[in-house]
Amino acid sequence: MKRLLLFLLLLGLGIAALRLAIGDDDALGGKLPAPDRQPRPNTPGLPVHQGNVGASVAQTGYLRLPRYRTLAQPDGSQVQQQVFLLEAKDSQPIGEGRQQLEGVDVTLFDAGAPAATLVARQAFVELARDANGRPSLREDKDIDLRDAVFTTLPGTKMAGLRLELGNARVLVGEHDLLIRTADPNDPVLLVVEGEHKGTLRGKGLRATLPRERTGDLQSADIEILSDPVLETDGLVVRARGRMHYVEHTTQGAATVTVDDDVQLELASGRLALPGFGGDEVPSADAGGTGSTAHGDRFVGWLLRDRNRVADRSERNDATWRMLQLTGAPARVDVPGAQVFTTRLSIQPGPFGEAYLITAHGGPSRIEQQDLRDGRTSDPVVGTSERRIHLVQPGQGPGAVHRSFGFPQWTLGALQHLQVVVFEGRSRLVEGARSLDASRGLHVFRSNEAGADGGVVRGFGDVRVEQPATKPGEENLLATGNDGFWLQRTGSSQHLRLGPELPADPEQPGQPWRSHHYDVHYGDGHLRGVGCCDVERTGLRTHLRLRAPAAEIEGRLTGDDADLTGVRRLDALLEARELLALDVAGLPARCSIVRGDETLQAAAPHMVQLGPRSLRLLPVPYGPERHLWVALPPECTEPELTRTVAASPGKPAQRVFLQGPQIDIHHAGGNHVLVDAAAVADWRPFVRAEIGNPGGGAPTTVSCNAERLRLLPFVLTPEMRRLHAGGAVGPLADVLFHSVGNPWLVVDDVRDFHLEDDRYGLIEGLGHRLLLSQGAEAALFVGDPDTMAPAEVRRTDGGRIVTTRGAQVRVLHDEGVRVQALRTFADRPTFLLPSVTLHEPGKDGLLSHMIAVCRGNIDVLPEEVVFGGPVVAQGLNEDGSENPDGVHLEAEQLRMQRQPQTGEIVKVTGRVVTLDWSKMKARSASAELDARWNRMTFSDPADAVVSMPDGREWRSPFIEVNYETMSVKWHPGRLVQKDLAQDVAK
């Protein structure tokens, strides 16, 4: 396009040169085929009249005809200034007043100095005689020229211009100069010599030129009648119709119009849509880099400036202000690209190079086809309902900077920058990929060798669609209501929907606060308000979202995990796998629904630990703490809720977990592993509700602890099938029922509560707790380092049974069964287990007591079994030791319970020693029957029972009613001791 402007500049210089032929203004001519030389006729010469005397004077041979004009001087005097000098080597009259000239040589003067020459093989003129009788040209008659050549002289303003004409007629009028070809089909040639040679060819010429700058006619009108061809380095302009040139000579403004099937051919030039299509520029071997423009009319506007140069001469510079190509539509063909538009306008920069190219006048379209390694890629198509501008900043601002002396290397970015501006509703399409904007698109790219990628900006309501192009890549579809910014570099791209996040995002009224967007990535879908950034490199996609409030929601992948209440989201995905996630919300909520199971997480802060792990956190301390200013006080702690809807044979379930740090690990399928840990004194809390199949209140479980872990199973389904020998079905389920169902693992458990209508209230604490839903069992473990026991307390029917031991197991076995174990699972140390019985409001013999055993203790619904020597002691209702209570020691002991109430109704033991305020006893075996208020002692070697009053029974069998203190015994003896003597002793 630069050469197009240069050529048109040369055309303007040629027109200016024609004006020199008539004084101070432009002149134009053409080359025509010469007719045969006419023979010298025998005609009279130039007629002369003097009074009544007439004569004719014949002018033959060499002819010299000068012309002068009179110029008024400032002092009132007049001087004669030569305008031109005509010389002919030979001449002869050919009719009355007409003269045939041979070897014509005309010298044109500008301000009295030779400026140009006009040489013709032959000319036909009409001569007249001036007052002195000298011959002169008649100004009201045409000059008929043959094979005329007009040339500007070196050192003049128009040096290097050559105009060749054939059969041309010139009429020198009082104020103008009229030139026309004799035949509309006669050829015309204009040549401008110099560094960039240019030519203009055509058929037929009509021109009206002003004779002088100060005359009444102030415009030049030149017309080539048909088939004009403009040629210069790298440029050819062709047309079938006319070329019309009009210039206002005093203002220097001119217009060039070319009509009918106009074609512009550029030998070099490339049109590319930055940021779209391939990154390689087509080489010359791939079809060249030339371009062609087609249209119905070409119009150019130029301005001529006359500047003085160093030698004080005047330089006549013509610069183009606008070029326009009109068609239905106009079309520009570039290697690999085409432009279709109703009108194409070109605006030059300050030095004539193309700066702004505009396709307008109606819907416009650019089609670009990139060539890569000999293969044709998907075409890139850009459309606009209004205008498309192609901007070369290097020819505008860059040219201005160069004129002020800025070094070339500092202007490299401007020099190589290309900008395409789409106005109105616009669209860019490459194969299945597309960019849409309701208020236009701006495209930026560098054409420097080795430059990679580009930038596209969209305005208004926008849509970005990028389907997957290779295996493992995911589809991307993004929409927004306030523009986008897209940067592509090599295999990576960065998309920003809406305005950029400002430095102070909390300031109200900023544009980003009203931007709404919607992003689909593969099976994921996110929508929200605020800023949205998407970066893609290879198969990896980085999402960064920020909202003014909790206005982000959606789903990252196709795993049914729905996010709501999000204010900031930072996610890294590779194909469909989520690699990293950082979410802030007020609070952020994540919900997963699979079948009849729902998992809901809520936290101010969520961070992904791994591809299948998520951590829920409270508000962090740091520079981003302002994100949670609007967080409600009741939502500061992370929460996790798992609910299971009721189904046939399966009761409804709900598990609620709350704590300062909760980790969620996906364990495959519908299973998740949950791990909650304490932070300082902030401990996690869990509460579970399990529906009662028989109706009534649900079973509830709750506790707080140092750490809580919810396991979906101990063995995966695959491992269970492997251990079952590949069996599938009820057999495998029965064999591995407990390890295939959820477990709760708790560290440093406190305030454990299990409440059930059937089993009452079970409370516990310990160093660790293992709770199995499938086995309906729990294991409390004490601390082997501090020797602190595990403790389980069951309250049922008003009775409280507290069991302590190194480990305490609670399980369902035809009722609730509690086992107190003396040893730790991984230590050789042991801790004596104990069981404490309380019946609030009662004062029976066995209503309040504690039993410590050297073996394990098994608390069954129908009995309490001690697996070793036992020491039992009666207690007060407040749990303190009762000095008047029963103290019992036995090698073996068993307590029988009433199954419905849990009340102890009978106690049996072996090798028993009883110490009570009411009596003392020892025997090989003993039995206490609370239903009949009696104690029975049996010993083949005589049991011994003694009373506080000194009586002592010795017998193989002794029965005592401890309410009436009556005694029955078999053959034996009774001894009355002297208590005073015993006291003295």
Side-chain angles (χ1 to χ4, degrees), residues 360-551:
H360 58 108
S364 300
R365 183 172 79 254
I366 294 179
E367 294 184 3
Q368 177 178 325
Q369 187 83 44
D370 274 329
L371 305 176
R372 310 178 193 174
D373 300 328
R375 296 178 293 107
T376 302
S377 65
D378 290 331
V380 180
V381 180
T383 58
S384 170
E385 293 183 351
R386 297 182 59 193
R387 298 180 181 89
I388 301 178
H389 304 279
L390 290 87
V391 187
Q392 300 283 349
Q395 310 306 335
V400 173
H401 282 76
R402 288 196 305 273
S403 69
F404 279 93
F406 281 78
Q408 184 68 32
W409 62 268
T410 65
L411 304 175
L414 281 177
Q415 189 67 29
H416 296 287
L417 180 62
Q418 293 179 330
V419 183
V420 183
V421 178
F422 296 79
E423 292 187 9
R425 186 167 298 278
S426 306
R427 179 177 175 83
L428 278 178
V429 178
E430 180 187 16
R433 305 190 317 173
S434 62
L435 304 176
D436 293 86
S438 65
R439 291 172 47 214
L441 292 165
H442 293 177
V443 189
F444 305 86
R445 181 179 180 178
S446 174
N447 62 6
E448 186 177 8
D452 196 5
V455 175
V456 183
R457 289 198 63 187
F459 301 89
D461 296 332
V462 297
R463 174 187 173 93
V464 179
E465 185 172 3
Q466 298 183 348
T469 58
K470 52 189 173 183
E473 191 175 58
E474 293 295 311
N475 298 333
L476 175 65
L477 172 62
T479 60
N481 69 342
D482 195 5
F484 69 82
W485 177 87
L486 174 64
Q487 180 182 31
R488 294 184 59 189
T489 304
S491 62
S492 66
Q493 67 176 27
H494 181 188
L495 170 66
R496 183 180 69 233
L497 291 174
E500 186 177 6
L501 185 68
D504 183 11
E506 302 304 323
Q507 190 73 21
Q510 295 174 335
W512 78 283
R513 292 177 167 268
S514 57
H515 171 242
H516 294 257
Y517 60 85
D518 198 299
V519 177
H520 292 261
Y521 174 80
D523 295 332
H525 180 200
L526 293 170
R527 55 191 173 274
V529 178
C531 297
C532 173
D533 280 80
V534 184
E535 289 189 48
R536 304 184 78 179
T537 303
L539 299 180
R540 290 200 170 189
T541 300
H542 192 178
L543 294 172
R544 290 190 297 271
L545 312 180
R546 172 67 190 279
E551 297 151 317

Side-chain angles (χ1 to χ4, degrees), residues 8 22 73 99 187 224 272 356 368 372 409 499 525 634 694 707 709 718 782 784 884 911 915 958 974:
L8 293 174
I22 54 159
Q73 301 300 305
Q99 192 82 3
I224 293 181
L356 177 63
Q368 177 178 325
R372 310 178 193 174
W409 62 268
H525 180 200
E634 66 274 13
R707 186 178 182 187
R709 280 165 288 182
E718 294 78 13
D884 295 329
V911 190
D915 186 356
I958 301 174
L974 172 62

Side-chain angles (χ1 to χ4, degrees), residues 2 184 253 759 778 921:
K2 175 179 179 182
Y759 311 131

Side-chain angles (χ1 to χ4, degrees), residues 192-203:
V192 180
E193 303 291 346
E195 180 180 357
H196 300 285
K197 182 178 180 180
T199 63
L200 168 62
R201 300 177 186 274
K203 294 180 180 180

Side-chain angles (χ1 to χ4, degrees), residues 936-959:
T936 302
F937 304 94
S938 301
D939 192 336
D942 289 340
V944 178
V945 176
S946 59
M947 299 296 180
D949 59 2
R951 292 177 295 170
E952 183 179 270
W953 285 268
R954 294 177 180 270
S955 172
F957 177 83
I958 301 174
E959 181 181 300

Side-chain angles (χ1 to χ4, degrees), residues 32 111 128 180 204 366 407-408 414 420 484 490 560 637 652 685 689 698 766:
L32 299 173
R180 68 182 186 278
I366 294 179
Q408 184 68 32
L414 281 177
V420 183
F484 69 82
D560 302 328
E637 192 168 359
F685 169 81
E689 295 182 2

